[in-house]
Each structure stands twice: as structure tokens, then as C-alpha cells.
Amino acid sequence: TTTTASSLLSARYGVGGESYHAATCTATDADTVMECDTVPGVGSGHRWEVNVGGEADATSELSTDTTSYKPPMIEANSGDAVTGSGLSRGATEGGELLVVSGSEFGPKDDGAPSLSYGDLSDDSSPYVYNGTSCYVSVAYTQISCYTAPGSGKDYSLMINVGGQDSNVYDANVSYAPPTIFTYTTQWE
């Protein structure tokens, strides 16, 4: 087996117009097979396009084979997997911080993650909320979002990164209970 590294070999892969450029490509097996290193990223179903020689007419069709990154996983790396002011008795008007820890969340600048929380066991439940202004706050291991207006308690959550859902995590997210400040009675 011969291996040839060349700056004239390149490849990119992606989904729906979004693409990554492979880091290093080499030709192997008498120049009939090309091996490329992926770069940090997220998502699944990435189709490949290769170029040999650097010319536009030397670019392949999109592959039918695909490459996928590992899906995100919510897990406690050190401490709790979910923290923040929105975790327990958060304001019902929303805007409270939720910080989710785990793995495979991707680089800081690679797409917008999303977060859903609530009664995730029932697809028709009215108690499913979407976090707002989500972003990767620590590359690969932490996502931060803000709660939406809502009510209830004992909610699970999950995240989506690059179109891939995480595991459902039993975080017990809760909103503050209602408080009665005053009441009046009428006696007859």
C-alpha cells in the first residue's frame, strides 16, 4: 500500500449547504482511495465531496455514504449535570439561566443548540417549553440557555445540537409556585 499526501487533495462534507473542510487528505491504495481527517463539528448525515488537483472540474459528485458526529449526551462531568437559577423555583416569567453539562456539544461557534424541557414523555403535553438564547458556553461540554415563561415542576430536559437529540435527562426543573399576597372575603 502506498500513501501519498498532497496539497492538491481536498474534501468537504456537510448537510444542506453547511459544510466542513477536511483537515488532511491522503491518497492510498495506488491512488484509488482517499482518507481524510474530520474537523471538530456537529450533526449527522454529512455527505462528502472530494477534489483532486484543485480544479473545479476535478470535483466529485456528493457521496451517498455519510459521516456523523456522536450525538450530544447530558451527563454530570463533575458536579450536577444541570445548574443555574432556572433549575429550581425559577421565575414564571422566564429569563432564568439553565446550564447543561455533558459531552459532544460541539465547538463554541458551530451552530445554535436548542433546549426543550417539560413533560417530555407526552408529545401532546402543553407543558413543554423551549429554552431561549441558547449557546455553547464551554466548547464540547456546556450549553447555556434561558427559561421560557411557564409553570410546573419535576421537568426533564434534552438538548439538540446539529440536528441530533441528546438523551432525556431527569433534571427536575421547576418554576416557582404561585403565592397569594392578599385575599378578601364577603360575609353576609
Side-chain angles (χ1 to χ4, degrees), residues 71-85:
M73 174 69 74
I74 300 171
E75 56 192 354
N77 294 326
S78 60
D80 296 326
V82 182
T83 60
S85 60

Side-chain angles (χ1 to χ4, degrees), residues 85-86 88-96 147-151 174-176:
S85 60
S88 179
R89 301 171 66 97
T92 58
E93 60 266 15
E96 301 275 354
T147 58
S151 63
S174 66
Y175 286 97

Side-chain angles (χ1 to χ4, degrees), residues 73-84 87 98-103 105 115 141-143 157 159 167 169-171:
M73 174 69 74
I74 300 171
E75 56 192 354
N77 294 326
S78 60
D80 296 326
V82 182
T83 60
L87 177 61
L98 285 172
V99 180
V100 181
S101 296
S103 60
F105 293 174
L115 175 137
T141 63
Q142 191 175 82
I143 290 175
L157 62 75
I159 60 170
N167 54 312
Y169 187 82
D170 187 17

